[in-house]
Amino acid sequence: MDSPHGAAVKAEDFGLKGPRGWAFRGVGIDAAPGSLIAVEGPSGSGRTCLLLALTGRMKPTWGHAEVGGHHLPKRMTAVRRITALGPVSGVNELDQALTVAEQLREGALLQRHYGAPVRAMFRPRAERRAAAEARIAAALEAAGLDLAALPKGERTSVRDLERLEAVRLSVAIALLGSPGLLALDDLDLKLSDTERVEAWDLLRSVAARGITVLAVCSEAPADAIVLRTTPKEPDAPDTPAAPAASDTPAVAESDADAEADAEADGGSGTGTKTGTKTDTKTDKDDTKGADDALAEAGRA
């Protein structure tokens, strides 16, 4: 893998509102490159929407954010190029029908097709294959996944992987593109206490390499920068919250349908209310609807 340069993450009064209310709002953060960031909150509280918004895959509707020097929502395409997704349900899941080796080769192929310089496509086939194998080996090492320890080695089916092994595989595939920011959803889902410790140790090791890590979880470790999402209060006013510090809760809709509504709202084409003139042309180029944004997620 190339030496990555982590992406700084900044946000002020960042929010996303769908037809049925806020998915999240009032988010504030100022994290340096190589930070370990945890999005903590109960399931259905807008955590995934916040993760997708900060990685340029869902259009926010209030406030502003900056990832790696690229402003959201105007530069969503640029943010997608420097960020990579680990497992996100319904967006970037592993293919259960493939073997581990096939999944890795597919990830390397997609990275080469969408992320590599054009000149790399004209290298001799043997050279391209050797480069891909070296990149895969480096990514597996960084993710702590030993193929020899799997039941059938690299021929092990993805569906037969333990949950933590699947997380490691997803991280390895994401690292193939040398991203500035790595984002994972539901990190601690179905993990034992021991496995959760291992999972966070993995993400710390990735952050130590200079890559900024953003992980959704139910309980954040003490050393992480924490963004908290909480269920929206029934009587809460339908106005944007005041700018929040990184440890201040971001108010989010508790109904799981709000995330789908917010996703649909991502393609509305409305400008962001930041007090500045909206660049509608750039918005149109960068966001062609929620379907296009989520389809792009598979490429990062």
Side-chain angles (χ1 to χ4, degrees):
M1 295 183 299
D2 300 328
S3 298
H5 300 282
V9 179
K10 300 179 181 179
E12 183 178 355
D13 198 15
F14 196 52
L16 191 157
K17 185 179 181 182
R20 296 188 183 181
W22 293 93
F24 64 85
R25 61 175 177 169
V27 173
I29 187 174
D30 188 356
S35 295
L36 180 64
I37 307 168
V39 180
E40 181 185 80
S43 178
S45 64
R47 304 176 307 175
T48 302
C49 287
L50 177 54
L51 178 144
L52 292 174
L54 286 174
T55 55
R57 291 161 174 86
M58 186 172 284
K59 185 179 179 181
T61 57
W62 201 277
H64 67 274
E66 182 179 316
V67 179
H70 303 296
H71 293 273
L72 292 171
K74 291 185 177 181
R75 301 294 307 280
M76 291 177 67
T77 299
V79 170
R80 289 197 294 270
R81 287 173 181 158
I82 64 169
T83 61
L85 294 182
V88 178
S89 180
V91 178
N92 199 40
E93 296 172 301
L94 296 174
D95 190 333
Q96 302 297 307
L98 299 180
T99 66
V100 172
E102 290 169 341
Q103 189 80 79
L104 286 165
R105 284 196 294 268
E106 180 182 89
L109 180 63
L110 288 172
Q111 189 281 325
R112 188 184 73 189
H113 183 74
Y114 293 109
V118 175
R119 63 179 180 275
M121 303 295 293
F122 297 96
R123 294 175 181 172
R125 180 177 297 179
E127 184 178 339
R128 295 200 306 268
R129 183 183 298 113
E133 290 176 353
R135 187 176 292 271
I136 289 173
L140 287 170
E141 181 181 0
L145 182 60
D146 182 5
L147 298 186
L150 299 178
K152 296 181 181 179
E154 65 177 19
R155 298 178 61 188
T156 301
S157 174
V158 170
R159 69 169 61 91
D160 293 331
L161 294 176
E162 299 292 338
R163 165 66 179 165
L164 184 56
E165 292 170 340
V167 170
R168 292 186 185 276
L169 177 59
S170 294
V171 169
I173 293 171
L175 294 179
L176 289 172
S178 300
L181 184 147
L182 169 66
L184 303 91
D185 194 23
D186 286 327
L187 174 67
D188 49 11
L189 179 68
K190 297 182 180 179
L191 294 182
S192 67
D193 291 342
T194 300
E195 289 172 332
R196 290 183 183 187
V197 171
E198 291 184 41
W200 283 111
D201 284 345
L202 164 62
L203 297 191
R204 289 187 187 92
S205 69
V206 172
R209 292 172 175 264
I211 302 172
T212 304
V213 177
L214 176 68
V216 167
C217 62
S218 58
E219 185 176 353
D223 59 339
I225 298 173
V226 181
L227 292 174
R228 293 185 177 90
T229 58
T230 58
K232 181 180 177 181
E233 297 178 5
D235 297 328
D238 215 17
T239 56
S246 61
D247 60 349
T248 301
V251 179
E253 176 119 306
S254 59
D255 191 334
D257 289 340
E259 294 195 12
D261 293 333
E263 178 180 331
D265 191 54
S268 63
T270 57
T272 302
K273 303 176 183 178
T274 57
T276 60
K277 184 178 180 180
T278 301
D279 188 344
T280 56
K281 182 179 184 302
T282 306
D283 283 346
K284 182 177 180 181
D285 293 339
D286 276 345
T287 57
K288 298 179 181 179
D291 291 341
D292 291 341
L294 295 181
E296 186 71 22
R299 303 179 181 179

